[in-house]
Amino acid sequence: MTGVNEIRSTFVEFFEKNGHEHVASSSLVPRNDPTLMFTSAGMVQFKNVFTGKEKRPYTRATTAQKCVRAGGKHNDLDNVGYTARHHTFFEMLGNFSFGDYFKEQAIRYAWEFVTKVISLPKDRLLITVHPDDAEARQLWKKIAGIGDDRIIDIADNIWAAGPTGPCGYCSELFFDQGEAISGGPPGSPDEDGDRYLEFWNLVFMQFDQVDEATRVDLPRPSIDTGMGLERITAILQGVPSNYDIDLFRALIAASEDATGVKAAGPNQASHRVIADHLRSTSFLIAEGVLPSNEGRGYVLRRIMRRGMRHAQLLGAKEPLLHRLVPSLVRQMGETYPELVRAQQLIGETLRLEETKFRQTLQRGMHLLDEATSGLGRGATLSGDVAFKLYDTFGFPLDLTQDALKPRGMAVDTTTFDAAMQRQKAEARRAWKGSGEAATETVWFEIKENVGATEFLGYEAHAAEGIVRGLFKNGSEVAALGSGDTGSIVVNQTPFYGESGGQVGDTGVIRSASGALFRVTDTAKKLGDLIVHNGIVESGSFMPNDAVELSVDHLRRSAIRANHSATHLLHEALRQVLGTHVAQKGSLVDPDRLRFDFSHTMPISADDIARIEDLANAQVLLDTPVETRLMNLDDARNIGAMALFGEKYGDEVRVVAMGARANERANRAWSVELCGGTHVARTGEIGVVRIVSETGSSAGVRRIEALTAHGARAYLATQDARVRELSSVLRTRPDDVVDRVKAMVEQTKALEKQLADAKRSIALSGPAQTNGAASPMDEVRTIGKVRYLSRLVKGLDPKDLRSLVDEGKKQVGSGIVAIVGVTEDGKAGLAIGVTSDLMGSYSAVDLVRVGAEALGGKGGGGRPDMAQAGGADGSKAPAALAAIEAELGR
């Protein structure tokens, strides 16, 4: 048993047999400890279990935990490649007890595993304890049967994952690698040598470090152990360096093959750096961390660029690291399938970053060579030059320092920092004059002070954070108390800030003291500052409070389904209507989705059905939704569609989903640039149902649709309505449409008969004058013209024209005026002039006279027929009188 994968599984199986729950490695981005940049130890995911804040269904656990130490308190970056043991990424094997067993059983397990399971010689093992931990010393003597000469007191044998939280005395196990390797035992002047190798640390969790000055006992003493997988593998494989174990040999061999440069001699460190940094960058990218100039993304970029610089030192002419990803996946993909799932994203991100970095490095190194020309070892580079490298060429300060280190030169960081502050001040002045609202300046200031908010929501619905700012009525405040409406900014959050058409998340923020802030909306300011808006329901919040942030999971799930559906509908619209279709806007909330797109005509029912069918076919395929970081030009080259109104930088997030038939295998069904949250698989959308299609503006149509539970509820309601209608009509649901069609035709026929009857009665019956004085309803002569006037009630205004035509037939030569009053008291007026009189009289002029008397609009029409409507029915007799008076002039 010497292979790294076999050692890992043997450790886990040993503790499983001893009643421990095998718990999967947690994310490298801590969700429950905002004080940590990355997960740096196996106990991080159990922090709240140790403190009693969280309960698990088990009291014993074992893990093989992914760890990164490259930022914050635990930072081994500068040593990596130049020592035998340091790594940015490593695996920590551990066993844990949460108030179950304590020191004695932990020591028994450790001694049994190292001496019986993996058979390390007892005489080559040394133990360290804390000077105040007499109990541990006695237990080692009792259980291992070793004397005091092999148990060494070490004053700093107390361990914690961060500045606060669970901690305790620890006891370390060392292995003597033999006299051929230099170095002395722990605690000796030569302890920094590699002869005595620490490989396992047993931490006896007894205390909770509340703050720098306060340490209290834990409610239940517990156990946290950590054994470096790479270190124990090196011991068992009998090699002097972690970089000589089978895993690293395979990665270094891939690096040698890609560069054509052997790993022996002066090139050894570069190959080691590349192998180590390949692991850390790949795992971080697989977990959603992408290179940036802030926070974790900045640390990732530092790691990547350090590895890329060593690739150049080896003479690599083209980007290298992305070519090594398949080798890493072969070595670790079976144990960590997230590497397999994210392999394409990892490769593209590395290639993109290295391409950009090579351009930066070439420009920066040229200027650096010019600036240091003639300077000898021990010289200091001007901070202004270093800042120019940073500001003009994107050359980070640490990269300048790293490049100068082999030359024995330093950088004047004081001058560099002063130049940085000047730039920030100038940027603030320029921003204040850019036309933004004055109240928005507070966000610029907070971002300048605390940096961007790290968004964790692609992978998480809950996380912990540190309050960086509190705001009320547009101003920063020292506290938010119960009942206050305001805003909270934290260093990291799973809440999505409204952007790209997707609404902001809602949920709750809780403090350690029990205060509760109800998040009613989440906004995004200045691109990457996420602001939680809401109300304090209880307690109070202050800056630097540690808080727990929980997104409304059900609401977020509905939003994700709707957002992913917009991508499927976009492609379906293009396939059915044509490639002219382009997104012109969208709204994605938990209840529905709205999608605006360029198209000039309404969509037919058949086309809507085809669009739905295409989208739902992709839902049923249940394919993975993949995200990638790409160069903008590369994204466009593969056909990625951009969202309307979005501004893109050089690097873009590409979301691909669905599968195409009879096309390139690497082409997804939908490929779009998008920063929103999405489902993991298309099947999570459930179903896509278009509920409306309307015009939005000139040349823009709008569809609204439902997915998942919303679509199901809608379809259930529609089904209930059909069943209710079938019951009322006394027919089967399948026959409802035919039955309604028949009833509609029957109703139309009856309405026509009724209208004909009304018209007949209106012409032949007595005038309906409501008892008011009015002209006679028979044909009379006014001046020199025959005139027929009539007032009718209950007739549809559209039937007035036909009555006028009938009246014109009766008079032969003359003028007909009819006012109709509807059931709701509205009046309509129609006037006809026979053809022989059109030279002398105009129906348009006469209808205007009548309409004015009705108190309505002027009406309109032709000289032989004109109408007006919508006026006061009580004035109908006055209108007829006004027309008669006009004729009598």
Side-chain angles (χ1 to χ4, degrees):
M1 182 195 62
T2 59
V4 64
N5 292 326
E6 189 179 5
I7 294 169
R8 184 194 298 112
S9 61
T10 299
F11 180 90
V12 170
E13 289 167 3
F14 169 78
F15 283 99
E16 281 185 306
K17 290 176 183 177
N18 283 284
H20 292 65
E21 179 79 12
H22 179 203
V23 181
S25 172
S26 66
S27 169
L28 286 170
V29 178
R31 309 302 188 205
N32 64 344
D33 192 341
T35 66
L36 292 177
M37 179 73 74
F38 300 112
T39 297
S40 56
M43 62 78 60
V44 171
Q45 68 166 307
F46 301 118
K47 171 188 171 183
N48 292 336
V49 183
F50 283 124
T51 59
K53 292 170 60 178
E54 179 186 354
K55 302 294 183 184
R56 298 278 179 99
Y58 47 82
T59 58
R60 300 181 175 196
T62 184
T63 64
Q65 174 65 49
K66 301 174 293 186
C67 300
V68 165
R69 292 185 180 178
K73 174 185 174 183
H74 299 110
N75 185 0
D76 294 336
L77 181 60
D78 293 336
N79 294 319
V80 173
Y82 297 99
T83 68
R85 312 294 172 196
H86 285 104
H87 301 289
T88 54
F89 174 92
F90 61 94
E91 293 181 76
M92 186 73 82
L93 304 175
N95 60 286
F96 306 88
S97 164
F98 312 116
D100 187 345
Y101 61 83
F102 197 43
K103 292 183 185 179
E104 180 170 1
Q105 193 59 50
I107 291 172
R108 289 188 184 278
Y109 284 142
W111 192 251
E112 179 181 354
F113 183 79
V114 299
T115 61
K116 295 182 179 179
V117 178
I118 60 176
S119 304
L120 294 184
K122 298 179 182 180
D123 60 355
R124 297 178 69 176
L125 297 172
L126 291 179
I127 308 297
T128 68
V129 296
H130 192 275
D132 294 340
D133 197 358
E135 180 186 8
R137 174 179 285 274
Q138 292 304 315
L139 287 171
W140 277 113
K141 292 168 67 175
K142 169 187 171 183
I143 295 168
I146 56 177
D148 285 327
D149 59 322
R150 290 169 55 200
I151 304 175
I152 303 169
D153 287 340
I154 300 294
D156 61 357
N157 261 25
I158 190 164
W159 195 92
T164 62
C167 62
Y169 299 136
C170 60
S171 185
E172 302 161 319
L173 283 74
F174 284 76
F175 182 76
D176 182 358
Q177 299 192 88
E179 296 179 356
I181 298 177
S182 63
S188 71
D190 300 325
E191 65 177 357
D192 289 336
D194 284 335
R195 174 175 174 177
Y196 293 91
L197 176 63
E198 178 203 346
F199 65 93
W200 201 351
N201 190 6
L202 313 183
V203 179
F204 309 128
M205 288 290 187
Q206 298 174 253
F207 315 112
D208 183 10
Q209 192 76 40
V210 179
D211 54 44
E212 187 175 347
T214 308
R215 182 185 295 167
V216 299
D217 290 338
L218 285 174
R220 297 182 302 166
S222 300
I223 292 296
D224 156 34
T225 83
M227 176 162 60
L229 176 60
E230 293 81 3
R231 292 194 178 197
I232 192 61
T233 302
I235 291 172
L236 292 175
Q237 293 182 359
V239 294
S241 165
N242 292 0
Y243 292 96
D244 294 322
I245 67 175
D246 57 338
L247 170 61
F248 275 105
R249 285 200 306 270
L251 297 180
I252 290 173
S255 178
E256 287 179 315
D257 183 62
T259 60
V261 178
K262 293 298 181 183
N267 298 312
Q268 181 186 71
S270 291
H271 282 289
R272 288 181 172 184
V273 167
I274 290 169
D276 174 272
H277 292 9
L278 173 69
R279 293 212 303 169
S280 55
T281 56
S282 296
F283 273 98
L284 287 171
I285 293 168
E287 295 197 5
V289 180
L290 295 175
S292 70
N293 294 324
E294 298 277 354
R296 295 184 177 96
Y298 175 70
V299 176
L300 170 61
R301 177 164 279 165
R302 280 189 66 196
I303 300 171
M304 295 171 76
R305 290 189 167 185
R306 189 167 184 264
M308 293 164 183
R309 181 168 178 271
H310 279 273
Q312 275 210 326
L313 292 176
L314 291 176
K317 303 299 183 186
E318 300 293 336
L320 171 70
L321 266 66
H322 74 284
R323 295 163 55 194
L324 306 180
V325 174
S327 178
L328 174 65
V329 173
R330 284 194 296 271
Q331 294 296 315
M332 304 189 72
E334 184 175 352
T335 303
Y336 296 108
E338 61 265 34
L339 284 179
V340 180
R341 292 194 296 268
Q343 182 172 350
Q344 189 172 27
L345 172 64
I346 296 167
E348 289 176 346
T349 305
L350 286 170
R351 183 189 60 79
L352 173 63
E353 188 71 13
E354 190 163 1
T355 300
K356 290 172 56 181
F357 174 66
R358 283 174 170 269
Q359 298 168 352
T360 296
L361 191 63
Q362 184 177 13
R363 294 192 300 264
M365 290 303 294
H366 179 72
L367 179 60
L368 190 61
D369 288 340
E370 288 183 348
T372 57
S373 176
L375 299 179
R377 295 186 70 83
T380 299
L381 180 70
S382 164
D384 289 328
V385 174
F387 182 76
K388 182 179 180 181
L389 281 165
Y390 163 79
D391 191 41
T392 306
F393 300 104
F395 217 64
L397 176 62
D398 59 330
L399 186 60
T400 300
Q401 293 170 319
D402 195 38
L404 292 177
K405 188 182 297 183
R407 311 182 195 184
M409 297 179 185
V411 177
D412 179 0
T413 55
T414 301
T415 307
F416 178 90
D417 291 340
M420 181 70 78
Q421 291 304 316
R422 286 196 303 272
Q423 184 203 51
K424 288 182 178 180
E426 291 170 3
R428 179 185 293 187
R429 286 194 297 270
W431 184 83
K432 284 182 177 180
S434 66
E436 298 285 350
T439 56
E440 294 293 297
T441 60
V442 66
W443 305 124
F444 187 91
E445 293 166 0
I446 194 67
K447 181 179 176 181
E448 185 180 80
N449 291 335
V450 305
T453 310
E454 188 132 17
F455 178 59
L456 308 177
Y458 289 131
E459 304 293 334
H461 290 90
E464 291 192 2
I466 300 294
V467 174
R468 294 303 188 208
L470 301 166
F471 306 90
K472 185 177 179 181
N473 298 326
S475 300
E476 190 167 6
V477 294
L480 284 177
S482 182
D484 283 344
T485 297
S487 306
I488 296 179
V489 172
V490 295
N491 64 328
Q492 61 182 29
T493 181
F495 283 74
Y496 182 84
E498 181 175 353
S499 59
Q502 179 176 327
V503 298
D505 282 327
T506 62
V508 295
I509 299 177
R510 294 182 175 88
S511 73
S513 64
L516 176 65
F517 182 85
R518 179 74 56 183
V519 180
T520 57
D521 177 56
T522 307
K524 187 180 289 186
K525 305 289 185 180
L526 306 177
D528 50 12
L529 187 70
I530 297 176
V531 181
H532 309 82
N533 302 313
I535 184 170
V536 181
E537 294 190 350
S538 62
S540 61
F541 291 84
M542 299 182 68
N544 299 316
D545 279 354
V547 294
E548 296 178 354
L549 303 101
S550 301
V551 173
D552 183 333
H553 176 70
L554 293 178
R555 183 176 181 274
R556 163 75 76 80
S557 296
I559 292 171
R560 291 191 311 177
N562 284 340
H563 199 158
S564 296
T566 64
H567 288 220
L568 297 183
L569 285 170
H570 191 180
E571 179 60 28
L573 284 162
R574 289 170 61 85
Q575 291 192 23
V576 173
L577 303 180
T579 56
H580 66 278
V581 168
Q583 182 172 341
K584 294 298 181 183
S586 69
L587 172 66
V588 179
D589 67 23
D591 300 320
R592 63 184 174 129
L593 67 90
R594 187 182 74 207
F595 191 82
D596 295 349
F597 57 95
S598 53
H599 191 61
T600 56
M601 300 174 60
I603 308 175
S604 69
D606 287 345
D607 281 346
I608 287 177
R610 289 175 60 201
I611 292 163
E612 276 190 350
D613 287 345
L614 286 171
N616 283 305
Q618 295 300 322
V619 172
L620 292 173
L621 286 176
D622 192 30
T623 54
V625 175
E626 298 179 348
T627 58
R628 295 180 260 171
L629 186 72
M630 301 182 70
N631 176 281
L632 180 58
D633 290 337
D634 290 343
R636 286 171 172 158
N637 288 338
I638 66 169
M641 289 184 288
L643 294 181
F644 173 77
E646 287 288 309
K647 295 180 180 178
Y648 299 101
D650 293 335
E651 297 174 351
V652 292
R653 186 169 181 263
V654 179
V655 178
M657 64 182 75
R660 289 178 180 265
N662 303 320
E663 289 198 23
R664 314 190 296 277
N666 63 345
R667 175 74 163 93
W669 197 73
S670 165
V671 183
E672 294 197 19
L673 311 184
C674 185
T677 60
H678 289 276
V679 296
R681 304 184 68 89
T682 57
E684 295 174 31
I685 297 172
V687 66
V688 179
R689 176 66 174 176
I690 297 174
V691 295
S692 72
E693 189 275 335
T694 58
S696 173
S697 60
V700 177
R701 304 297 297 177
R702 169 177 292 173
I703 58 171
E704 296 196 22
L706 304 171
T707 68
H709 298 297
R712 179 183 175 278
Y714 173 83
L715 293 172
T717 300
Q718 296 299 99
D719 181 68
R721 288 173 177 168
V722 170
R723 291 181 182 279
E724 181 181 3
L725 185 59
S726 69
S727 176
V728 171
L729 297 175
R730 298 183 179 181
T731 188
R732 296 185 311 143
D734 289 347
D735 297 332
V736 164
V737 173
D738 290 338
R739 181 78 176 97
V740 170
K741 284 181 178 179
M743 292 178 66
V744 168
E745 292 301 319
Q746 183 180 16
T747 300
K748 286 180 178 178
L750 291 173
E751 287 176 344
K752 184 177 184 303
Q753 293 176 21
L754 178 60
D756 291 345
K758 284 183 176 181
R759 284 195 299 271
S760 176
I761 292 171
L763 285 174
S764 61
Q768 302 168 30
T769 63
N770 293 324
S774 66
M776 296 175 62
D777 59 329
E778 69 273 7
V779 178
R780 291 168 294 128
T781 300
I782 306 295
K784 297 180 180 181
V785 66
R786 288 166 62 82
Y787 175 55
L788 172 63
S789 64
R790 203 161 182 81
L791 188 157
V792 297
K793 294 182 64 178
L795 199 65
D796 193 312
K798 69 182 181 182
D799 290 329
L800 295 180
R801 177 187 289 268
S802 62
L803 286 181
V804 169
D805 288 340
E806 290 294 327
K808 288 166 68 175
K809 292 178 182 177
Q810 288 186 25
V811 299
S813 172
I815 294 171
V816 178
I818 298 180
V819 177
V821 180
T822 63
E823 297 293 344
D824 60 356
K826 298 291 184 181
L829 168 65
I831 295 179
V833 177
T834 57
S835 58
D836 61 311
L837 299 177
M838 282 195 296
S840 303
Y841 299 94
S842 170
V844 175
D845 294 336
L846 292 172
V847 87
R848 286 174 181 166
V849 172
E852 184 177 353
L854 285 172
K857 299 178 181 179
R862 305 186 310 270
D864 65 328
M865 175 67 72
Q867 283 186 268
D872 184 355
S874 66
K875 297 178 180 179
L880 292 175
I883 296 168
E884 183 175 337
E886 179 68 18
L887 292 174
R889 289 181 183 177

